[in-house]
Amino acid sequence: MSATETLTPAPSATPVEGSGGLLLNIDGKIVPNYAATMVSFEEGDVVKGKVVRIDKDEVLVDIGYKAEGVIPSNELSIRKSVDPSEEVELGEEIDALVLTKEDAEGRLILSKKRARFEKAWRRIEVAADSGEPVEGSVIEVVKGGLILDLGVRGFLPASLVDIRRVHNLDEFMGQTLECKVIELNRSRNNVVLSRRAVLEEERKEVREQILGRLEPGQVVEGKIPNIVDFGAFVDLDGIDGLIHISELSWSHVNHPSEVVQIGDTVRIKVLDIDRDRQRISLGLKQTQEDPWQRVINTHRDGDVLEGTVTKVVAFGAFVEILPGVEGLVHISELADHHVENPSEVVEPGSKLNVKILEIDEERRRLSLSIKRVEGQNMAMAGLGEQIAAQAEGATAEGQEAGDAGPVSDTSSSPTGDDPASSPPASDTSEGPSDEAPGELPAEVEASEDAEPAPVAEENGTTENGEEEHQEGESVQDRPDSPDDLDEAAGDDDAETGESEQS
């Protein structure tokens, strides 16, 4: 350009009034303002765009930039392995976050899920501060709970899914749940939810209404939703009451499942209401006939009834005489003979007759007897007598052997005098004798004038419990053991020998 040439001024451009800056007036000509249609943004900004193309691995979005933005399939949703056609539709307007304005290939890279995340996180923060619930659909069942899509992955622990324990979490798959945010951590992108808090708040008003209309003594109906070792819970149309295991039946119950099952509809009586703690105590047996009252009304002391042995313990046996009514047969009332162990006489499950000794109405206890029932036929009744008879037989054999031994010694042992002056041993052992071998000498039998006491009466008593001895003879003077009898026999033999010698 020469020095004489002058510069041509650039045409002046002014926006056309009412065009919003999209039209310009340049030297009297109206032209489009293309620069005004260009979106101004930076990386990390959230922009709006329209879906113009859907491929199997990406989506193209027109955001008003010089080129369409690209959303890779893994940036479409927080779900795993998604199909782009299921996440967006052609012509749909979506929000997207700018990841890169220009990658190595010159493309604008966007993310739909991160735009949702930012918006969702702000919404979740507001809900957590205000206590308002948030909604999300269940997208995964994981160990320990559920994953909800809130725009952010929210974790709902299994214990907080419902008011009661949920055994099958799969049934919630795909459902939309309303939950409260109980924990929020942006650095870890961690959101913990509770559906139980929402349900309890909804039922709080219902509980108060139920508690207001219930009174102790009322009989109501409910369904069993849960059974535990110490009892069963009953759903009373919005609030749970507890039937303690002791209130399930008039008879002994080892576990509540013996009486009720989950899902059963039961008729129960309200026993107590703790309105402050919102707890209701219920009773099932109170709606049934009390078998103990039947005992009081129909039976008296001395009645004989048929029963079944339910339990054998160290001090006796329990016998059920009516369903739900048991009485105790003390060990002393099991048999006429002495019983060391009740299992010698009875065993669980055996049926027998018992006599009522006492009915304690106040303590609801029955005292029973087996031995006082006449004509009782018991499978194990003779066991004690057999044991006693065997013991008596063994003792008798021992006594007989003891009696025979000392007598033979007496006939051959010295009497204390000169052996030459004593009668020859052959007189006793070989010659004729009125005494049978092994028996006591006649003089001893005459002096005692009575048979020795039977072995079974070791303390000088007979089977009838009476003392047996001759008039003028004390128990202490009477020989009671084989050794005493031997000594007596030896002394008499000595006296007899001296008299014969003289």
Side-chain angles (χ1 to χ4, degrees), residues 435-453:
E435 298 170 3
E439 294 183 355
L440 294 176
E443 291 84 357
V444 176
E445 294 180 358
S447 64
E448 295 299 326
D449 196 28
E451 291 288 334

Side-chain angles (χ1 to χ4, degrees), residues 203-214:
R203 298 179 66 177
K204 183 177 181 181
E205 185 177 346
V206 177
R207 283 199 197 99
E208 292 175 353
Q209 293 176 355
I210 296 173
L211 288 172
R213 70 171 183 260
L214 286 179

Side-chain angles (χ1 to χ4, degrees), residues 191-208:
V191 181
V192 181
L193 307 170
S194 172
R195 180 171 176 260
R196 179 175 180 174
V198 175
L199 297 176
E200 286 181 341
E201 190 170 307
E202 291 175 350
R203 298 179 66 177
K204 183 177 181 181
E205 185 177 346
V206 177
R207 283 199 197 99
E208 292 175 353

Side-chain angles (χ1 to χ4, degrees), residues 46 61 69-70 178 211 239 375 398 422 448 486:
V46 176
V61 180
V70 178
E178 194 174 41
L211 288 172
I239 187 170
S422 299
E448 295 299 326
D486 293 341

Side-chain angles (χ1 to χ4, degrees), residues 45 115 149 218 265 276 281 326 378 439:
D45 290 347
D149 181 4
Q218 278 185 287
T265 299
D276 294 333
S281 298
E326 292 181 348
M378 297 172 60
E439 294 183 355

Side-chain angles (χ1 to χ4, degrees), residues 172-185:
F172 290 93
M173 190 66 183
Q175 292 188 23
T176 298
L177 305 179
E178 194 174 41
C179 307
K180 281 196 172 184
V181 180
I182 60 175
E183 186 178 333
L184 199 60
N185 189 325

